[in-house]
Amino acid sequence: MKPFGTDELTYPTPGMTRPGGPPPPVGFHRLRVGVPLGHGPGTFAAAGRAVLTWRTHRGAGLAVETSAPEAAAGVRVTVRIGPLRAPCLVVWTVHEARRVGFAYGTLPGHPECGEEAFVVERADDDSVHLTVLALSRPAAPWVRLAGPVGRLAQRLMARRYGRALRRAVRGSEPPGARGLG
């Protein structure tokens, strides 16, 4: 049974990007991109705020329309780049001492079918990084035709999120921390 509010999703396994979540359907591709952000509690706090308030997406050059100013389960979000429109629904969030983030799943009209997670973690060595995890397959015919080029574009976008988040947290590290990671 799907969690409440996820009936419109275009895939059957909400939560599949969450640790311990259900496995993705057969034929879904896995993309995982990790981006170092810096060190320390200030960087972690700033990065977590930026991810949850859509600054990462906006900083990556996307227009973002949301039903709430912060990511929370059930929040609708439509991201746009040029004429491309991608409607999603936030399916889970995490707010832990060393882990903050969310995942959204695709709604009808999205060119992909699946789920993408954006999680900021603070490791035991005090390093902070963003992980973007996408489990998806093409939904629109033009994305299917793009094949590996579409997956490359998805990887490039994940790295763009990381660069945007790095810019958003600049100045939140303790003095001397830059260049350690």
Side-chain angles (χ1 to χ4, degrees):
M1 184 173 170
K2 289 183 179 182
F4 175 76
T6 60
D7 291 339
E8 291 180 75
L9 294 172
T10 59
Y11 62 102
T13 52
M16 64 186 173
T17 56
R18 177 175 261 187
V26 173
F28 275 50
H29 297 283
R30 182 179 196 272
L31 168 76
R32 183 183 188 94
V33 173
V35 179
L37 300 174
H39 292 79
T43 297
F44 175 72
R49 273 191 312 278
V51 163
L52 292 174
T53 60
W54 314 108
R55 281 183 57 208
T56 302
H57 286 67
R58 289 185 176 104
L62 300 173
V64 180
E65 301 166 11
T66 69
S67 63
E70 187 167 311
V75 169
R76 291 176 176 274
V77 58
T78 299
V79 293
R80 296 176 187 259
I81 187 164
L84 180 64
R85 183 178 172 274
C88 300
L89 179 73
V90 176
V91 294
W92 62 263
T93 60
V94 61
H95 299 270
E96 297 173 353
R98 293 186 165 268
R99 213 165 152 256
V100 174
F102 73 95
Y104 52 43
T106 57
L107 293 171
H110 196 295
E112 293 276 336
C113 172
E115 194 170 291
E116 191 166 22
F118 306 85
V119 178
V120 175
E121 293 184 83
R122 184 173 166 210
D124 290 340
D125 68 356
D126 223 20
S127 64
V128 179
H129 62 276
L130 169 70
T131 300
V132 178
L133 173 62
L135 299 169
S136 63
R137 67 169 175 75
W142 60 270
V143 178
R144 279 193 290 279
L145 288 172
V149 174
R151 288 191 295 280
L152 175 62
Q154 192 178 33
R155 180 172 297 282
L156 292 173
M157 193 67 218
R159 290 177 193 225
R160 198 168 171 172
Y161 290 133
R163 286 192 303 274
L165 189 52
R166 220 183 273 137
R167 284 190 305 272
V169 301
R170 209 171 270 147
S172 59
E173 294 179 334
R178 243 177 247 281
L180 296 176

